[in-house]
Amino acid sequence: MRPVWILLAAWLVGIPVAARAACVPDHPIHVPLQETPVGPVVAVSVNGQPARFLLDTGASRSEVTAAAMRRLHLPRDPWSSTTIRGVGGAQRQPDADLSRLELAGVSLHRHRLDQALVLAVGASPVLTRFGIDGLLGVDILAGFNLTLDLHAGTLSLLPATACDSAIPRWAHGREPVPGIHPQWQWLLVPTRIDHTILLGLIDTGSAGSVITAAGMRRLSGAATAAPGDRRSQLTGQGAGEVTIWLHRYAAWSVGKESVSPAQIWTGPVAISPLVQMIIGRDWLRRHRVWISYATSRIAFTAAATASSGVR
């Protein structure tokens, strides 16, 4: 049974809702994405040293691996520590204290009032296996509006603003999908499975889209594994695994786009009662997506050579 690699850092020490900034014209930051088995990776600078970080919109807290801490000679913060909860369990470590974190020459800060640059530290054997030093989570990414195109391998970032002029030109004329950005957490968008609305988390750290334990409760018997469903093991933060199954549903809709029928991984993945579905890279590869934490909205269109169906 082939494992499905999925990296989730969930339900961590939180982040406040993005402040609504004034509309200020600016130039986007364009960053190439390197595709890896665990997700898109960007080149960053940590205290002036090169490093590779996973772009993870499903992680509420940015992190550095223990191996990278040693390689980059990063000190521990004596006052703060973080418990990281994910698919495989929970782990608590003192935080790493950074003086500088840069992406494409732009200084990055955690989206907090004090903007202290302390990152959680995880054992992260999956990241270490692929030579990845850490991940950029929502506590940093919420300071930007993101345009994500996994098919083209590009990421564009603009400082987050709460005005309609922040919507990229390619999204004009497309009605943005409103979501919710609850305090301390991610941006969740409504998605429909058959006739049931689920709150979905757009997660670049997840290889596939997955209906979670919370979503299974909403769907009741419709999410029960059928005899012919293919099974796999889902791995992530921590040492454990979760059995999931590829289940057939009548339809899956995000905004005005609908796929019918739809095969979606389903299983008792415990993230948060709010996260009823993970919208992973299988969906993202078929779309160009704008994510605005400031306005709690997304917009999307088909990628250049996107194919139909859910795989």
Side-chain angles (χ1 to χ4, degrees), residues 62-176:
S62 299
E63 101 177 39
V64 63
T65 67
M69 269 201 67
R70 294 188 293 269
R71 181 178 70 81
L72 299 171
H73 305 290
L74 301 178
R76 297 272 190 175
D77 188 297
W79 304 108
S80 66
S81 60
T82 301
T83 298
I84 299 178
R85 303 184 189 275
V87 171
Q91 48 187 317
R92 187 172 186 85
Q93 296 274 356
D95 294 332
D97 191 2
L98 281 64
S99 59
R100 298 195 316 279
L101 178 62
E102 296 179 339
L103 174 65
V106 175
S107 295
L108 303 178
H109 303 279
R110 293 183 63 213
H111 209 61
R112 300 174 61 94
L113 294 178
D114 58 11
Q115 293 192 332
L117 198 54
V118 291
L119 302 189
V121 178
S124 305
V126 176
L127 293 184
T128 303
R129 183 180 310 162
F130 293 100
I132 300 170
D133 299 304
L135 60 85
L136 296 179
V138 176
D139 57 343
I140 288 176
L141 297 176
F144 300 93
N145 289 329
L146 312 178
T147 297
L148 183 65
D149 191 335
L150 293 188
H151 176 79
T154 60
L155 168 71
S156 299
L157 304 95
L158 270 174
T161 64
C163 56
D164 286 340
S165 63
I167 300 176
R169 291 180 181 177
W170 60 263
H172 288 176
R174 294 177 174 84
E175 183 178 350

Side-chain angles (χ1 to χ4, degrees), residues 134-219:
L135 60 85
L136 296 179
V138 176
D139 57 343
I140 288 176
L141 297 176
F144 300 93
N145 289 329
L146 312 178
T147 297
L148 183 65
D149 191 335
L150 293 188
H151 176 79
T154 60
L155 168 71
S156 299
L157 304 95
L158 270 174
T161 64
C163 56
D164 286 340
S165 63
I167 300 176
R169 291 180 181 177
W170 60 263
H172 288 176
R174 294 177 174 84
E175 183 178 350
V177 178
I180 62 170
H181 186 193
Q183 193 172 16
W184 317 118
Q185 295 173 58
W186 326 264
L187 175 59
L188 305 175
V189 296
T191 181
R192 184 186 298 272
I193 303 296
D194 296 344
H195 301 292
T196 302
I197 298 293
L198 303 182
L199 289 178
L201 168 64
I202 293 181
D203 187 357
T204 55
S206 172
S209 298
V210 182
I211 294 173
T212 67
M216 290 179 64
R217 289 192 291 271
R218 289 270 298 158
L219 291 168

